[in-house]
Amino acid sequence: MAKRREFSVFSLSFLDIMSCGFGAVILIYILINHATEVTSSEINAELMAEVKKLEEEITEGTNRLVQIRNTIKQTEDEIVTTASMAKNISQKIRDLQSRIVALSESGASQSKEIEELKQELKRIQAEAASLEGSVAGDEETGTSLRSFVGEGDRQYITGLNVGGRHILVLLDGSASMLHETIVNAVRLSNMADDTKIHAEKWRRAVRTVEWVMANLPSESKFQLLTFNTSVHPTTTDGSKDWLDSIDKAATDQLLSNLKKFVPNGGTSLHHPFAQVRSMEPRPDNIFLIVDSLPTQDFDPPKRSAVSSSERVKLFTNALEELPQDIPVNVILFPMEGDPMATPYFWILAQITGGAFLTPSKDWP
């Protein structure tokens, strides 16, 4: 009788199966760990590349900053040098003028020497004018007499030259300055004065005046007039005399009075343009802040409704009251129902040598 073989759970076959299972687990762990290491390496490489790029940008920005500072220093030195040269040339002009006067008084007015001195004087005066213009341009760039920051620091603007010795700001104070649409402008015109003063369109116009006054040249004089069917000074005493732009107290008072002005009535350009003609001295730069073509001349209209062609005619007639050779910078807040305002005010700016601007709603 054959001997029965004993059964054991730890036979060779069982151990083989267990070994294969453990081997498979180890292999899976190795594969997973290797994939993680590869992914980490790729991420680290991308981060290092980004860091290197940022470092290069920082280095480039630092170099640019140094260049800008050097340029500013060089420009400042050039301004000082040019100003000194202009001062010396001005002294030479005075010396030449004195010599010409002395020779003329001595009875030698027709002598060759005087003619030569006059020619030299003309040459030096031309050179002085060039130098003074250069210095003025450099000194006035980026200067502000008042602090003015628009909402979100929006102060972008190009092509508008806030320069001149006598600068006049004309602000349309008619009822149409209450809103961009006719319906809402009429609705607001029937509301309380406090509501009119705080109308968004009017407040934008007032902020525009503040921007202009903040950028006036320090040596200039200015005046601010509002107009509708007549002209209204913004000074407390009603004076239309020129004011110094560096007189902060007067400027603050003017702006305070402007913020109390209530837009109302129609629009006449005849009155403000005639006022320009009567000013002494006359302005050499005008800023016209307006929204539409005029609705009357010196007299009230005979009808309540004024057609587009009639408004164009009133505009062209008003130009006859405006003195020539004065740049008019137009800042237009377009009004609904007056499509001819934009082209005609653009023409006004072009023929007078001024600028034309239709600002976005977030400016200034």
Side-chain angles (χ1 to χ4, degrees):
M1 183 176 180
K3 187 177 181 180
R4 186 176 181 181
R5 188 175 180 181
E6 295 181 1
F7 175 77
S8 175
V9 295
F10 295 103
S11 64
L12 181 59
S13 299
F14 177 77
L15 292 175
D16 290 342
I17 293 171
M18 293 299 292
S19 298
C20 290
F22 282 122
V25 171
I26 293 172
L27 180 60
I28 292 172
Y29 175 78
I30 292 174
L31 292 175
I32 292 175
N33 186 52
H34 177 69
T36 303
E37 290 179 355
V38 171
T39 303
S40 299
S41 300
E42 292 176 352
I43 293 174
N44 290 336
E46 291 177 358
L47 291 175
M48 290 301 295
E50 187 69 21
V51 169
K52 186 176 181 180
K53 181 180 179 181
L54 292 174
E55 289 177 346
E56 291 176 353
E57 290 179 355
I58 291 172
T59 303
E60 183 179 355
T62 304
N63 293 335
R64 287 182 180 176
L65 181 60
V66 172
Q67 292 176 359
I68 291 172
R69 287 176 176 171
N70 292 337
T71 302
I72 292 174
K73 181 65 170 60
Q74 183 180 356
T75 303
E76 290 174 348
D77 293 341
E78 289 176 355
I79 291 173
V80 173
T81 302
T82 306
S84 177
M85 291 174 64
K87 186 177 180 181
N88 292 336
I89 290 176
S90 297
Q91 184 60 45
K92 288 182 181 180
I93 290 174
R94 289 192 291 270
D95 293 342
L96 285 173
Q97 289 174 337
S98 300
R99 289 178 61 187
I100 291 174
V101 171
L103 288 172
S104 299
E105 291 176 351
S106 67
S109 59
Q110 301 300 321
S111 67
K112 182 179 179 181
E113 184 176 359
I114 287 183
E115 292 302 320
E116 292 177 353
L117 287 176
K118 288 181 177 180
Q119 294 298 324
E120 180 68 12
L121 179 60
K122 289 181 180 179
R123 184 186 66 80
I124 293 178
Q125 284 177 334
E127 186 177 351
S130 176
L131 287 172
E132 288 174 358
S134 175
V135 172
D138 289 334
E139 288 181 343
E140 292 176 6
T141 300
T143 59
S144 294
L145 294 177
R146 301 171 57 83
S147 174
F148 182 87
V149 180
E151 181 182 352
D153 291 341
R154 290 186 288 268
Q155 297 187 82
Y156 46 83
I157 190 170
T158 59
L160 202 59
N161 178 26
V162 188
R165 294 189 177 276
H166 294 87
I167 302 171
L168 176 63
V169 181
L170 295 174
L171 173 61
D172 184 357
S174 63
S176 62
M177 292 293 288
L178 294 172
H179 203 275
E180 293 84 1
T181 63
I182 298 175
V183 173
N184 286 324
V186 172
R187 179 178 60 84
L188 286 169
S189 66
N190 294 318
M191 293 187 176
D193 288 349
D194 187 64
T195 303
K196 298 178 185 178
I197 291 174
H198 291 90
E200 178 56 32
K201 182 180 178 180
W202 176 247
R203 293 182 65 184
R204 284 180 59 208
V206 173
R207 290 198 300 269
T208 301
V209 172
E210 290 185 85
W211 182 92
V212 172
M213 295 178 68
N215 289 275
L216 293 174
S218 59
E219 297 180 355
S220 66
K221 292 181 180 294
F222 77 98
Q223 182 55 268
L224 169 63
L225 302 175
T226 58
F227 66 93
N228 40 37
T229 56
S230 59
V231 176
H232 309 277
T234 50
T235 53
T236 303
D237 59 0
S239 171
K240 298 176 184 178
D241 296 333
W242 294 107
L243 303 173
D244 292 325
S245 60
I246 58 174
D247 189 344
K248 188 176 185 301
T251 303
D252 290 343
Q253 186 62 53
L254 231 64
L255 291 174
S256 177
N257 294 340
L258 176 62
K259 292 176 181 179
K260 298 175 184 177
F261 183 86
V262 181
N264 63 90
T267 307
S268 169
L269 288 177
H270 284 71
H271 286 286
F273 287 173
Q275 180 64 46
V276 172
R277 184 180 293 277
S278 66
M279 298 183 74
E280 186 62 38
R282 287 180 180 175
D284 52 18
N285 205 2
I286 297 175
F287 286 87
L288 176 61
I289 303 171
V290 67
D291 71 337
S292 59
L293 293 175
T295 57
Q296 70 169 70
D297 47 25
F298 287 113
D299 302 317
K302 297 179 180 179
R303 297 179 301 167
S304 58
V306 182
S307 67
S308 180
S309 59
E310 290 173 331
R311 300 181 78 168
V312 170
K313 186 176 180 180
L314 289 169
F315 175 81
T316 54
N317 290 339
L319 295 184
E320 297 178 2
E321 301 294 331
L322 182 68
Q324 298 180 353
D325 303 325
I326 301 178
V328 179
N329 301 283
V330 180
I331 301 178
L332 180 69
F333 296 91
M335 181 70 181
E336 176 192 73
D338 191 12
M340 302 306 294
T342 299
Y344 276 93
F345 278 113
W346 179 84
I347 291 172
L348 171 61
Q350 292 299 308
I351 63 177
T352 60
F356 177 83
L357 172 69
T358 301
S360 61
K361 291 187 177 181
D362 61 356
W363 184 88

